[in-house]
Amino acid sequence: MSSQVVIEAPGAHRVEEHTPREPGPGEALVAVHAVGICGSDREVYQGNRPDGYVRYPLTPGHEWSGTVTKVGPGVPASLTGRKVVGEGFRNCQVCDRCHAGETTLCTDGYEETGFTQPGAMAATLTLPARLLHALPDDADLTAAALLEPAACIAAAALKAGAQPGERVAVVGTGTLGMFAVQFLKAISPSELLVVGTRNDREALSRQFGATDFRIKDQELPDDFDVVIETAGSASAARTAASLLRRGGRLVLTGIPAPGADGLDPTDLVVRQLEVHTVFGAPPDAWAHTVRVFGAGLLDPLPLVTHELPLTEFSQAIDLVGAGDPKVGKVLLRP
């Protein structure tokens, strides 16, 4: 029996039989290979995701990979059988932000797979085919299940605009931080510093291309051109800003707890720092991610530490929130 996870309300879920939904016009039916769990899925389960950014009851799952098994009217038949990943934001395609390619800023309101629309913690997922990105035929679908968080960091890397030979840094050593290291390594920086809170992440950081690793409370430099923050705390944002030279470029991707103290506006102005933020991934970041992955410059597999059947959803949620340094990316396999 194929199954799906349904979160009825915060703290209440069930695993039930799954019936695939036939693809309508412009849609595709995907057999899910693997689906990742991140902090936002835990927020959905606990009930502390902001109002308007979740709709119960819900099948979660926004980080996934799979194979197209059927397409609806208006979708090229050649897509059938292709390995794919897919964008989460269900943009309207007609507002000015969508026309500018900024689909995560769609003015028609927020809709996203796994949060307000059915997600991939099920045997199949039916969604608009325009959101799919085809992978190479020999792509590893387990690794590809991590391309959604990678795409979010690709958006940060593109906004940072790092150039070959620049000095770049990453604050945070989780999944997003390790993707940031890989994307920045690909532009051939002169230095690539990683700042974290755990010494045990140094080896992996260097494996992915870091030239230096520091613990957050060590003495840190202040003359880097580009810094990407991925840790999701206000203190990490301040640390990231402190690493920059005057006129440096900062990209924030983490979301601190509500009410957190932010950056000092006087410091930002006096040092003329260029600050960007990222929430989700627009199409250009997805396309960039798929190209980099296809070229062999992105290696997600070392980040995966646990693979569980879909029926072990509760255990997977517990693993993600346990704070165990041995737990990296957790995947569910329908």
Side-chain angles (χ1 to χ4, degrees):
M1 180 186 81
S2 61
S3 58
Q4 65 182 10
V5 172
V6 176
I7 299 177
E8 286 282 0
H13 83 282
R14 65 180 188 273
V15 178
E16 64 180 20
E17 185 174 358
H18 171 74
T19 300
R21 181 173 71 79
E22 288 293 302
E27 292 185 323
L29 175 66
V30 177
V32 177
H33 173 81
V35 55
I37 295 182
C38 81
S40 56
D41 295 305
R42 187 171 169 81
E43 288 177 355
V44 169
Y45 185 65
Q46 293 178 326
N48 51 17
R49 189 161 172 83
D51 290 343
Y53 289 86
V54 64
R55 187 180 302 134
Y56 301 100
L58 173 72
T59 294
H62 61 286
E63 305 177 1
W64 58 270
S65 64
T67 303
V68 176
T69 59
K70 192 173 184 179
V71 297
V75 179
S78 59
L79 191 61
T80 304
R82 293 299 303 272
K83 296 178 178 179
V84 294
V85 290
E87 299 176 32
F89 282 78
R90 305 291 187 92
N91 54 85
C92 75
Q93 302 184 83
V94 296
C95 73
D96 60 342
R97 292 301 87 205
C98 284
H99 279 300
E102 298 175 334
T103 54
T104 59
L105 299 175
C106 177
T107 61
D108 195 44
Y110 171 79
E111 295 286 344
E112 186 175 4
T113 299
F115 296 105
T116 63
Q117 298 289 332
M121 290 189 191
T124 70
L125 175 65
T126 302
L127 74 169
R130 62 183 173 81
L131 299 177
L132 298 178
H133 290 261
L135 301 170
D137 291 340
D138 61 351
D140 184 324
L141 283 177
T142 300
L146 275 69
L147 292 189
E148 191 277 341
C152 295
I153 293 301
L158 292 172
K159 283 192 174 185
Q163 301 296 311
E166 286 193 310
R167 304 180 71 217
V168 301
V170 174
V171 175
T173 59
T175 298
L176 298 182
M178 294 301 95
F179 277 132
V181 173
Q182 294 182 65
F183 278 115
L184 290 175
K185 172 63 176 177
I187 58 96
S188 299
S190 61
E191 295 182 51
L192 204 176
L193 167 68
V194 174
V195 177
T197 59
R198 292 166 42 189
N199 278 311
D200 63 320
R201 298 299 273 183
E202 179 173 2
L204 191 59
S205 298
R206 291 187 182 276
Q207 176 183 328
F208 287 141
T211 59
D212 193 7
F213 182 92
R214 309 275 182 98
I215 294 299
K216 188 177 175 182
D217 56 6
Q218 289 180 314
E219 183 177 353
L220 299 174
D222 61 0
D223 55 356
F224 276 68
D225 299 294
V226 169
V227 179
I228 296 179
E229 176 276 326
T230 68
S233 69
S235 63
R238 290 190 290 271
T239 296
S242 72
L243 292 170
L244 288 164
R245 62 167 173 81
R246 295 190 69 211
R249 308 187 297 284
L250 171 64
V251 185
L252 304 175
T253 70
I255 303 178
D261 291 332
L263 301 175
D264 180 356
T266 301
D267 180 61
L268 298 181
V269 173
V270 171
R271 295 173 60 211
Q272 300 182 65
L273 298 183
E274 184 179 322
V275 181
H276 297 274
T277 60
V278 166
F279 178 67
D284 64 338
W286 272 98
H288 182 66
T289 300
V290 170
R291 284 194 300 268
V292 173
F293 178 66
L297 299 176
L298 204 60
D299 185 12
L301 279 179
L303 302 174
V304 178
T305 59
H306 294 76
E307 295 183 55
L308 302 171
L310 197 64
T311 51
E312 298 298 325
F313 172 76
S314 293
Q315 181 184 346
I317 286 290
D318 289 342
L319 282 169
V320 171
D324 186 342
K326 295 181 181 179
V327 177
K329 199 64 186 178
V330 178
L331 298 182
L332 293 175
R333 298 291 291 270

